[in-house]
Amino acid sequence: MAKKNISKYLTHEEAAHAIVEIGKRMYLKGFVASNDGNISIKIGENEILTTPTCVSKGYMTEEMLVKVDLQGQVISGTTKPSSELKMHLRVYSENPDVMAVTHAHPPVATSFAIAGIELDRAILPEAVVNLGTVPIAPYATPGSQAVPDSIAPYCRDYNAVLLANHGAVTWGKDVFEAYHRLESLEYYATVLMYTGNIIGKANELSSKQISELVEIRRNFGINTGGVPKGKDLERSTDDNPPDELLIRDIVEEVTKTVLKKYRSN
């Protein structure tokens, strides 16, 4: 009988199988095009198994994967890792609890990233519990050191981040959690798009309802994700538009008072 793996790390074979499976799901979902996207799994204290550069995630094989250390140096494999590996390594460095990272370009979420709109509205209970809010990291040239630097502030307190004009990154305690957060992120963005731009209305949850969901999230052992905005946590100035005539009268009165005081001096 084969001995069961009780380590917190997947074996090389287990991780390789999981990466190929997730790559196919990302490709079939339309989260990546051509050779876009990358996936990594931590398989040891100083070992990462990751996807190669210039390979479609829908046609990837286990033999193509490459093993690197936490400094990005290749340990084994006949291919080169993606230039975006720096981003994955930064997530692992900033948050030791992370065991897997996914990066993709899901079209709706990426559209929000291009528009500079964070995913922070409390409209879906599942999104509040499983994902939380998704901030936007400042724009950085893909493949450069500026990318990992841009996401570093978000790695401990959130479960995902949008990359301005680029795509999305998610992470988790295993590669399936990281990938499921990617799915949740795209679904959340899609619902926000429909309610905001097509239907034109979204009934947001209240702060009390959000608090209850955050408590459920904590009970699941998830202490990251931030707290989305509820309908009673903010109010648009459009809700109570100012009286322009009143403002003009106030300005005129203040001006007269200032001029009178100035002339008397």
Side-chain angles (χ1 to χ4, degrees), residues 160-207:
V161 64
L162 295 178
L163 306 174
N165 297 83
H166 186 173
V169 185
T170 60
W171 48 85
K173 65 179 182 296
D174 58 53
V175 73
F176 291 99
E177 180 175 70
Y179 171 72
H180 288 152
R181 284 173 173 169
L182 188 65
E183 279 195 350
S184 295
L185 181 151
E186 178 68 352
Y187 182 76
Y188 181 21
T190 302
V191 172
L192 282 171
M193 177 186 68
Y194 283 139
T195 56
N197 299 326
I198 298 177
I199 298 174
K201 180 180 179 181
N203 293 319
E204 296 177 346
L205 302 172
S206 68
S207 58

Side-chain angles (χ1 to χ4, degrees), residues 117-168:
I117 303 173
E118 296 184 346
L119 306 181
D120 62 356
R121 313 305 302 185
I123 60 171
L124 284 171
E126 294 81 6
V128 175
V129 173
N130 298 321
L131 183 65
T133 63
V134 184
I136 299 179
Y139 177 77
T141 303
S144 71
Q145 182 57 41
V147 176
D149 290 344
S150 73
I151 69 169
Y154 308 103
C155 296
R156 281 187 174 270
D157 299 325
Y158 296 90
N159 301 312
V161 64
L162 295 178
L163 306 174
N165 297 83
H166 186 173

Side-chain angles (χ1 to χ4, degrees), residues 248-263:
R248 189 180 67 184
D249 291 341
I250 293 172
V251 170
E252 288 180 356
E253 189 63 30
V254 171
T255 302
K256 289 177 183 178
T257 302
V258 172
L259 288 175
K260 182 177 180 180
K261 183 176 181 180
Y262 175 81
R263 288 166 181 165

